[in-house]
Amino acid sequence: MNQQLDTLNQWYTSLPGRDQKLLIATIAFLLATLFYLLIWEPVHQGRDLQQQKLKTQQDIYSWMQSASKEVEALKRSGIKKVSSNQPIALILENSAKVSGLKKHINKIESSGKNGAQVKIDSASFDQILVWLNTLEKQHGVSITTANIERNTEAGTVSARLSFEKT
């Protein structure tokens, strides 16, 4: 290693003064460029990305706060459950049509007098949640078990759900 440094030093000293200065300037430029590309720029890009994520999370938090107030107001408005003598499978099918989930339902199977099982393929997770809330609040049908699996398409899931009519 020392021998290589000595050889490099001899080569450098054998250069004319103008070439030595040009070499030092070139090395300084390359080091500054490497510093900028490998350290400075990635740090600032990461910081900008984190600031953008923070802003998005703050927006979501604000929305959730306003939505929670709306939910509380709706809870207080006293939406009453509709008591129905319809079979649970019929309630599930009709409410799925209204919510737009009918095309995603693969199977509705009755289990006992007040129970049913539903298999849903590739449906919007948010849409399923709204449907489940509607079933419970308006039809008195509650979910007893749920097996939900994320699909490759963003925001969609497949689910196997068991319901009971109260």
Side-chain angles (χ1 to χ4, degrees):
M1 181 80 172
N2 265 345
Q3 186 180 14
Q4 290 173 338
L5 286 175
D6 288 339
T7 306
L8 189 60
N9 191 23
Q10 286 175 357
W11 172 79
Y12 176 74
T13 55
S14 70
L15 292 174
R18 182 174 175 220
D19 288 349
Q20 288 178 355
K21 290 177 185 175
L22 182 61
L23 181 62
I24 289 175
T26 304
I27 291 172
F29 174 76
L30 288 175
L31 289 175
T33 302
L34 285 174
F35 174 78
Y36 177 79
L37 292 175
L38 298 176
I39 298 172
W40 188 265
E41 185 64 17
V43 166
H44 284 285
Q45 283 179 346
R47 184 197 65 184
D48 293 345
L49 180 64
Q50 291 302 320
Q51 285 176 337
Q52 184 180 6
K53 284 181 181 180
L54 176 63
K55 173 74 171 116
T56 302
Q57 292 297 322
Q58 288 172 336
D59 291 345
I60 290 171
Y61 180 70
S62 304
W63 175 82
M64 289 178 84
Q65 284 182 322
S66 65
S68 72
K69 291 174 186 171
E70 186 177 338
V71 167
E72 289 300 319
L74 288 173
K75 281 183 181 177
R76 280 185 251 116
S77 72
I79 296 174
K80 304 292 182 207
K81 291 181 186 175
V82 176
S83 124
S84 171
N85 293 331
Q86 292 180 335
I88 188 169
L90 187 59
I91 293 171
L92 292 171
E93 187 172 343
N94 290 339
S95 64
K97 280 181 194 174
V98 171
S99 69
L101 281 174
K102 177 72 173 134
K103 62 185 174 191
H104 299 287
I105 293 182
N106 189 7
K107 178 169 48 168
I108 298 178
E109 188 177 282
S110 292
S111 61
K113 183 179 177 185
N114 292 325
Q117 295 177 346
V118 177
K119 187 171 186 307
I120 301 173
D121 292 323
S122 299
S124 163
F125 180 71
D126 294 338
Q127 197 173 12
I128 291 173
L129 289 181
V130 170
W131 179 56
L132 294 175
N133 185 50
T134 302
L135 284 170
E136 185 169 349
K137 300 293 182 192
Q138 294 181 5
H139 301 287
V141 175
S142 57
I143 189 164
T144 55
T145 62
N147 182 357
I148 300 173
E149 297 174 3
R150 182 183 341 183
N151 290 340
T152 54
E153 186 180 337
T156 64
V157 296
S158 294
R160 287 183 304 282
L161 308 168
S162 296
F163 295 95
E164 186 175 280
K165 185 176 168 185
T166 55

